[in-house]
Amino acid sequence: MIVEVTGNNLLKEFIDFPFLLYQKDKFWVPPLRFEEKKLFDQKNPFYKNAKIKLFLYKKENKILGRIAAIVNKWHNDYHKDKVGFFWVF
């Protein structure tokens, strides 16, 4: 089931997912959690001209994946595009 991230609880799950996924990988260098939170905070200046939707993929209440869908108005205006981007998949 694909779940749109709404609210702080789902956002925390979204941010925490890589920490769970790679917890046994001795070569994984985790990012700083407070920096991750800043990336998705609506106060981030990037979001003044961009829209983002975050999604989790869950099966039997277990998170199996995540993705962000982004429309960057400045990019589209500058390049005369109508494109979107995917991130953190």
Side-chain angles (χ1 to χ4, degrees):
M1 170 173 56
I2 297 174
V3 178
E4 183 177 348
V5 173
T6 57
N8 290 332
N9 290 340
L10 286 174
L11 181 59
K12 182 178 181 333
E13 289 183 37
F14 186 91
I15 291 170
D16 288 346
F17 176 65
F19 293 85
L20 298 171
L21 182 64
Y22 298 115
Q23 66 186 346
K24 294 180 182 176
D25 184 340
K26 65 182 181 180
F27 298 109
W28 186 61
V29 179
L32 300 171
R33 285 183 194 262
F34 74 91
E35 289 294 333
E36 288 289 289
K37 289 177 185 175
K38 286 183 188 179
L39 288 174
F40 302 106
D41 188 333
Q42 291 300 312
K43 295 176 188 171
N44 185 320
F46 175 74
Y47 300 120
K48 288 183 181 178
N49 291 287
K51 293 181 182 179
I52 185 170
K53 295 280 186 174
L54 307 176
F55 301 94
L56 292 169
Y57 175 67
K58 290 186 170 189
K59 187 173 183 180
E60 298 174 3
N61 213 29
K62 181 178 178 186
I63 300 172
L64 300 178
R66 71 177 189 168
I67 195 164
I70 302 168
V71 175
N72 183 337
K73 183 180 181 320
W74 281 353
H75 170 92
N76 286 339
D77 289 349
Y78 181 81
H79 292 285
K80 309 285 188 264
D81 282 341
K82 291 184 180 180
V83 298
F85 299 91
F86 294 104
W87 180 41
V88 296
F89 45 92

